[in-house]
Amino acid sequence: MPLLAELTGHDFSSCKVSIIVGDLSAKGAGRWGGAVRPFLLSQALQRLGCGVEILGFTDDDTLPFINSGLSIKGFPQATYPRFFRSVRQLIQQIEGDVVYAYKTKASSFGVGLLARQLRRRPLIVDIDDWEMSWHGGDQWQYQPSLRQRYRDLVKPEGAFRYPDHPVYLQWMERLVKRADAVTVHTHFLQQRFGGIYVPNGKDTQLFDPSRYDRAASRQRYGLEGYRVLMFPGAPRPYKGLEDILTALDLRDEPDLKLVIVGGSPYDDYDQTLMARWRDRIIKLPKLPHDEMPQVLAAADIVVVPQQDTPAAQAQFPLKLTDGMAMAKPILATEVGDIPSILGNTGYLVAPGDSVAMADQLGAIFTNGAEAEQRGYQARQRCIAHYSIEGMAVVLAKVLAPFVSRRHHPTHAAQAP
């Protein structure tokens, strides 16, 4: 029995978990491979000794490759009514004793609810975003004209043909209480949906600065001669890159560069940034997850300049623990859980305050020894609170009732 299972007092080796993901494509969870939430959950569950499979929908034939023995099954992404065929195929291939739906979407949680009823499996829902925040939050209402309503319902490309239309998202949020358990990764989401707080974990053995050579990394990625502020994520307006770029303008030091790794899979926002700040930005291509520690080794500072929006408040920025695990000085904003995650190990400013960002950049580069010490403390904090092992310990408490229940058929999960 794995050590973590011994520590938690349960043997999970005979338990298998089926994680349902609404979008496994290159624009969804497949984009970053092992870096995103469903794969972090998988790693933590495997640390407990659980068998894990991921089932989801994709619009291409390419599935994420994770070198960990993880079973990944893809099914055609489609609109209604064809989507029901894919749902049926997915549910038939569920092998797990527990179903774990990732996100409150019809294409994941909705499928999980059906699986709970049809396959008599307990259902956990993991919430890592407030999905309605992308559509205006609680203020959003569906109020079309009669003609538009007809088009949405009847036309082949009508809005209601798409499984994750905001109307369906609202329905899914109301059904969260039907799940047997709920996990969340921020306190904002916990206040909204309840559930157990399971912050994102980091593989602190892979993300270990002692394994990588900074000078070699800078040479490999063409970053020699620059002071590198790194943003290892997908640019979006609420992530505050315009604020940090304005801070670089204020400092007006040519060797300060913002390095964006991967670019945006959603739109051309990164091109908009490049058009205005071409001399300030260096773009690196999307890299395999296993290569991310090497590129982070080249950074002088990791920046997480989130703006104060509902979408940002609901998120746990993965780039935050990337930088922490790699012992990098982190410049971030006081948004959502960021201050509590960093503790006193980073450099915090108010969201949108480019002047304060410019000042903090000066302080970091002027006081290198202090910045290095904070980076070291950030890594120790990541190991203590935000590792995959820590994530696994909390998940053991979530799973324990269902593992025990499997040995008592009279306590099997009931359909809603």
Side-chain angles (χ1 to χ4, degrees):
M1 187 165 63
L3 176 60
L4 273 173
E6 291 183 6
L7 291 174
T8 58
H10 294 276
D11 182 0
F12 295 98
S13 60
S14 61
C15 177
K16 185 166 187 176
V17 179
S18 297
I19 298 176
I20 300 177
V21 179
D23 187 357
L24 275 175
S25 74
K27 289 185 177 181
R31 172 172 170 75
W32 295 109
V36 293
R37 181 76 169 178
F39 299 101
L40 299 179
L41 291 169
S42 298
Q43 291 177 59
L45 291 167
Q46 287 177 320
R47 293 281 208 282
L48 289 174
C50 293
V52 185
E53 64 175 359
I54 290 181
L55 307 95
F57 305 100
T58 181
D59 58 2
D60 53 46
D61 295 328
T62 304
L63 291 173
F65 174 74
I66 308 296
N67 189 22
S68 64
L70 180 65
S71 171
I72 302 178
K73 303 173 184 177
F75 304 87
Q77 220 168 34
T79 55
Y80 294 121
R82 295 192 309 276
F83 184 60
F84 290 120
R85 183 184 307 169
S86 295
V87 170
R88 183 172 64 251
Q89 293 171 351
L90 185 152
I91 290 175
Q92 288 173 344
Q93 293 201 36
I94 287 174
E95 297 179 3
D97 308 294
V98 177
V99 174
Y100 207 156
Y102 167 64
K103 292 184 177 291
T104 54
K105 294 184 172 184
S107 56
S108 53
F109 181 44
V111 177
L113 287 168
L114 284 173
R116 183 180 188 270
Q117 179 145 359
L118 296 174
R119 299 295 303 274
R120 314 293 286 185
R121 302 287 194 272
L123 171 65
I124 307 169
V125 59
D126 181 70
I127 307 175
D128 80 333
D129 260 322
W130 181 27
E131 301 300 332
M132 285 304 299
S133 70
W134 310 112
H135 306 281
D138 293 325
Q139 283 68 48
W140 186 88
Q141 294 181 359
Y142 180 66
Q143 295 178 320
S145 64
L146 288 175
R147 177 176 294 182
Q148 186 60 49
R149 187 183 296 266
Y150 171 81
R151 290 172 179 164
D152 289 345
L153 285 167
V154 176
K155 294 290 184 179
E157 295 300 317
F160 282 134
R161 301 276 182 164
Y162 293 87
D164 296 323
H165 186 277
V167 164
Y168 304 142
L169 294 177
Q170 286 183 328
W171 293 353
M172 291 297 102
E173 286 191 5
R174 296 186 191 114
L175 293 174
V176 165
K177 59 182 177 295
R178 295 284 190 95
D180 295 286
V182 177
T183 58
V184 296
H185 74 163
T186 66
H187 292 101
F188 174 94
L189 293 169
Q190 190 177 44
Q191 290 171 7
R192 187 169 189 92
F193 297 103
I196 298 173
Y197 177 61
V198 186
N200 286 321
K202 187 65 58 181
D203 185 341
T204 55
Q205 295 178 23
L206 175 65
F207 285 76
D208 179 351
S210 68
R211 298 180 56 185
Y212 307 96
D213 183 270
R214 178 175 178 271
S217 291
R218 292 169 74 85
Q219 182 177 29
R220 176 173 181 171
Y221 299 108
L223 301 176
E224 295 171 292
Y226 299 121
R227 286 180 292 168
V228 173
L229 281 61
M230 188 166 287
F231 179 82
R236 304 191 83 171
Y238 72 88
K239 294 187 179 181
L241 295 187
E242 295 180 45
D243 301 325
I244 196 71
L245 286 163
T246 299
L248 294 187
D249 285 343
L250 291 172
R251 295 207 64 81
D252 195 22
E253 299 171 37
D255 65 329
L256 283 175
K257 301 292 183 182
L258 177 66
V259 175
I260 297 175
V261 184
S264 173
Y266 312 108
D267 50 37
D268 60 354
Y269 180 63
D270 49 348
Q271 298 305 318
T272 301
L273 295 175
M274 287 292 293
R276 181 175 173 185
W277 283 287
R278 187 169 301 278
D279 293 338
R280 302 283 183 197
I281 297 174
I282 296 174
K283 283 188 64 178
L284 296 181
K286 184 179 74 169
L287 300 169
H289 172 57
D290 290 352
E291 195 174 329
M292 286 305 297
Q294 189 168 60
V295 73
L296 280 159
D300 292 295
I301 301 172
V302 171
V303 293
V304 190
Q306 306 278 83
Q307 295 184 341
D308 193 10
T309 68
Q313 291 168 13
Q315 289 190 335
F316 184 118
L318 290 166
K319 64 190 75 64
L320 198 62
T321 47
D322 285 350
M324 292 173 71
M326 290 297 291
K328 295 295 179 181
I330 296 169
L331 176 57
T333 48
E334 298 167 324
V335 173
D337 282 4
I338 290 175
S340 63
I341 295 168
L342 277 175
N344 296 317
T345 69
Y347 296 82
L348 290 170
V349 299
D353 191 342
S354 296
V355 173
M357 292 178 192
D359 290 344
Q360 286 285 26
L361 289 174
I364 292 170
F365 286 116
T366 300
N367 302 291
E370 179 185 343
E372 184 177 347
Q373 178 63 19
R374 288 202 196 186
Y376 171 79
Q377 292 170 348
R379 174 166 170 79
Q380 300 311 306
R381 183 171 177 80
C382 188
I383 292 171
H385 300 286
Y386 304 107
S387 66
I388 292 292
E389 289 74 18
M391 199 177 184
V393 169
V394 182
L395 285 175
K397 299 175 184 176
V398 178
L399 276 181
F402 310 121
V403 173
S404 302
R405 194 179 298 175
R406 288 175 59 237
H407 301 294
H408 301 281
T410 57
H411 295 99
Q414 299 298 311

